[in-house]
Amino acid sequence: EVQLQASGGGLVQAGGSLRLSCAASGFSFNDYAIGWFRQAPGKEREGVSCISLSDGSTYYSNSVKGRFTISSDNAKKTVNLQMNSLKPDDTAVYYCAARRKSVRWLRNPLENLYDDWGQGTQVTVSS
């Protein structure tokens, strides 16, 4: 059974940083990708970043590219999202999710078709 546990959210001022972590278990890391998604009130859930756990390939949405960095520690089975230069528009509930890699995943790694989800963690950026 895939289990995901997100942590690290909080309140930060604009320009500040936060580090989210996703503890994962119950699946083979070589076959999966882990993604971070976010959902702000009244908005659709959007893909922020994801990482292929087998080769470390990373993907970012245009809205966070250059500010966020995703990384994985396969020994600890965790995926981290370092968020720098945070903006009020980054305020949302952040979720980590797992998806078995496929040709379709490779075409759009941030497509919201992930299979297993952790609980969300709130990130609030004040202006």
Side-chain angles (χ1 to χ4, degrees):
E1 179 187 2
V2 175
Q3 292 188 334
L4 302 164
Q5 180 79 27
S7 61
L11 173 65
V12 66
Q13 289 188 332
S17 299
L18 281 174
R19 184 179 177 89
L20 305 183
S21 292
C22 178
S25 63
F27 59 94
S28 171
F29 263 39
N30 285 339
D31 299 333
Y32 276 75
I34 295 289
W36 283 99
F37 290 75
R38 67 186 182 187
Q39 188 165 20
K43 295 187 178 180
E44 292 188 357
R45 189 171 296 186
E46 66 165 330
V48 172
S49 181
C50 70
I51 185 167
S52 166
L53 296 176
S54 60
D55 62 12
S57 299
T58 58
Y59 306 86
Y60 298 94
S61 68
N62 288 334
S63 61
V64 306
K65 196 173 295 182
R67 299 188 298 122
F68 291 11
T69 302
I70 192 170
S71 61
S72 68
D73 183 335
N74 288 10
K76 295 182 180 180
K77 295 196 170 182
T78 59
V79 173
N80 299 311
L81 185 69
Q82 179 66 41
M83 306 186 296
N84 298 330
S85 302
L86 284 162
K87 306 174 182 179
D89 284 349
D90 295 318
T91 295
V93 178
Y94 284 70
Y95 301 87
C96 62
R99 180 177 177 183
R100 188 181 293 272
K101 293 188 297 181
S102 64
V103 172
R104 178 165 183 173
W105 171 82
L106 194 57
R107 289 176 186 155
N108 188 356
L110 295 179
E111 186 177 20
N112 188 3
L113 291 179
Y114 280 60
D115 304 304
D116 299 281
W117 295 79
Q119 90 294 355
T121 185
Q122 177 71 46
V123 171
T124 303
V125 184
S126 62
S127 57

